[in-house]
Amino acid sequence: MILRPRRDDHAIVGKYLGKIIVGIGLLMVVPLVTSLVFAEWDTALDFVIGMGACFVFGFGLQVICRTEKDLKWSHGLVVASGSWIAATVLGAIPHWLSGHEGSYLDAMFDIMSGYTTTGLYLIQDLDHISYGLNMWRHVLTYVGGQGIVVIALTFLVKGTAGAYKLYVGEGKDERLLPNVIGTARAIWLVSLTWLAIGTMALAATGLMLGQEPVRALLHSLWVFMGAWSTGGFAPQSYNTMWFHSATYEIICTVIFIAGSFNFALHWAVWQGDRRELRRNIEILSFTATAFITVSVATFGLAHLGIYPDAVNLFRKAFYQVLSGHTTTGFSTIYSRAFVTQWGPVAMLATTVAMAIGASACSTGGGIKGIRIGVLTKAYIQDVRRMISPDSAVVQERYHHIRDIVLEDRIVLTAFTITLAYVTAYAVLTVLGVLFGYDFTAAAFEGVSAASNTGLSCGITAPDMPNLLKWAYIVAMWMGRLEFMSVLALFGHFYAILRGKS
């Protein structure tokens, strides 16, 4: 029997949802200050209005929903998934007021794409938007990579037992430290350290390419945020192709591969356990699938002969496929080139790379390497059982921070989430075909949205059907949260409507 949520349940959800939205309002201080520094008064006003809306909503909820009770599992899942919706609606206000969006739906599309570190966008005239708005685009994708709930845990939520429910509800389950608040702060320590190093490296390269200092610094900061968060946003419409620099591409590749790794892996290496880099199942899985997909894409492109030499061929294939595999979405080719030049083999290899995605508990999306590794181990275990004597005890293990025995529940969980992703990919592909797009292109774009990658073959545009925009928004949201907390939110609303008192 499904029970209808009580007043206390609504109060708990509302209280913590309000805290997270206040955090979104505080984030707008960064683009607001940027706008003031560059005397962009209209943009500054847009963010003042956006901050006001967030504070009214966030503090208002906390006043209305006063309670001392802590979160349960169901509350944490509902808050995590519901906060992303509220943050998208309110975070879109500055985008809409900027005049660079065709509709409020387009603005929400871009905000959800940023939070989920997808990188698809509908904003118009990107090359001429304000510094403040560009800062907001990249701040939200950088924060989205760590998780907007992590923001609240770091600064706004006290160390309660329920804090872990919020953390898990956002698709994470790794504790870097015994306390989940400490874990959230450790995640930010890792990210901010990389921010300093990566920004300096990119800025130095930008200066060598002839950029003026302020522009080189801003571009390096924004490109780092897009790379580390595997979010794919870039400050100009030509993405990283705009720089025409092999050095810039190499630095970006190092950053987005590092950003795609599990935060627990980063922490283990920080603590001196460098063996984890060669033992971890996600690293092994990523290495194998990256080698296969890059090789297939390279073979497909070589067969077509569209690039003049082997170096240029490998450079294009490696960058695009690795960008897809880490779910970053950076690109050094035109979007339509995937369709008009790359051909079905290279496109299929890139699509598979995007579908698999990066590591669990990272900034990346997709099925995740650990699930591919677990399912592969389960397959090997079943084969071994079939060819072993009946009396033999066959047991597989894998290493992920520690040695783990492969149990049926682990395999079932990996299979369930994988099936959910595959279903989302299939639904978006069919929907794209129904709207008249080629099957290969529809599959490419649908997988890119649901895996939070952001590579586009040209379908994502302001004139795309509104229903497809909504479908991609929902897919980005569900894919980033790995479905479970979203299903919990749907269940919460169903219980409100049909539950027993």
Side-chain angles (χ1 to χ4, degrees), residues 425-475:
Y425 299 155
V427 169
L428 292 178
T429 300
V430 171
L431 190 59
V433 171
L434 290 176
F435 277 110
Y437 298 105
D438 175 76
F439 176 84
T440 306
F444 185 97
E445 205 85 1
V447 169
S448 182
S451 66
N452 308 127
T453 300
L455 285 176
S456 176
C457 62
I459 291 178
T460 299
D463 61 351
M464 68 190 290
N466 283 342
L467 180 58
L468 201 56
K469 293 177 184 178
W470 279 114
Y472 283 176
I473 288 173
V474 173

Side-chain angles (χ1 to χ4, degrees), residues 220-409:
S220 64
L221 175 64
W222 294 336
V223 171
F224 172 84
M225 288 178 172
W228 172 256
S229 66
T230 64
F233 278 166
Q236 59 287 310
S237 57
Y238 287 153
N239 208 270
T240 49
M241 180 173 65
W242 187 86
F243 296 97
H244 293 290
S245 168
T247 303
Y248 219 91
E249 292 170 26
I250 291 170
I251 296 172
C252 286
T253 302
V254 170
I255 295 169
F256 62 60
I257 289 178
S260 75
F261 288 164
N262 192 303
F263 279 112
L265 175 64
H266 279 280
W267 195 248
V269 173
W270 276 45
Q271 299 302 303
D273 186 10
R274 292 177 176 81
R275 295 181 305 165
E276 192 68 29
L277 288 170
R278 63 176 185 271
R279 300 173 63 200
N280 192 282
I281 189 174
E282 289 192 299
I283 300 295
L284 298 175
S285 172
F286 177 84
T287 301
T289 53
F291 176 80
I292 293 170
T293 51
V294 170
S295 297
V296 172
T298 303
F299 173 81
L301 292 173
H303 180 71
L304 294 175
I306 63 170
Y307 295 112
D309 55 72
V311 173
N312 208 12
L313 165 66
F314 181 75
R315 177 178 166 184
K316 295 296 184 184
F318 182 84
Y319 190 83
Q320 264 60 230
V321 175
L322 261 293
S323 177
H325 204 326
T326 57
T327 71
T328 302
F330 276 172
S331 180
T332 55
I333 63 175
Y334 297 106
S335 296
R336 289 300 297 168
F338 281 114
V339 175
T340 60
Q341 296 181 348
W342 271 46
V345 174
M347 278 190 72
L348 177 61
T350 310
T351 302
V352 171
M354 292 191 295
I356 295 171
S359 301
C361 298
S362 71
T363 64
I367 293 170
K368 308 292 191 305
I370 192 169
R371 296 190 182 103
I372 300 298
V374 164
L375 293 177
T376 302
K377 285 280 189 180
Y379 179 78
I380 294 172
Q381 179 176 263
D382 285 347
V383 171
R384 289 181 58 200
R385 283 175 177 170
M386 285 189 292
I387 62 177
S388 298
D390 292 342
S391 59
V393 177
V394 178
Q395 192 176 68
E396 284 286 333
R397 295 174 180 270
Y398 64 94
H399 184 83
H400 178 61
I401 310 302
R402 66 186 189 281
D403 288 327
I404 302 171
V405 175
L406 186 64
E407 300 176 352
D408 289 344
R409 62 177 181 82

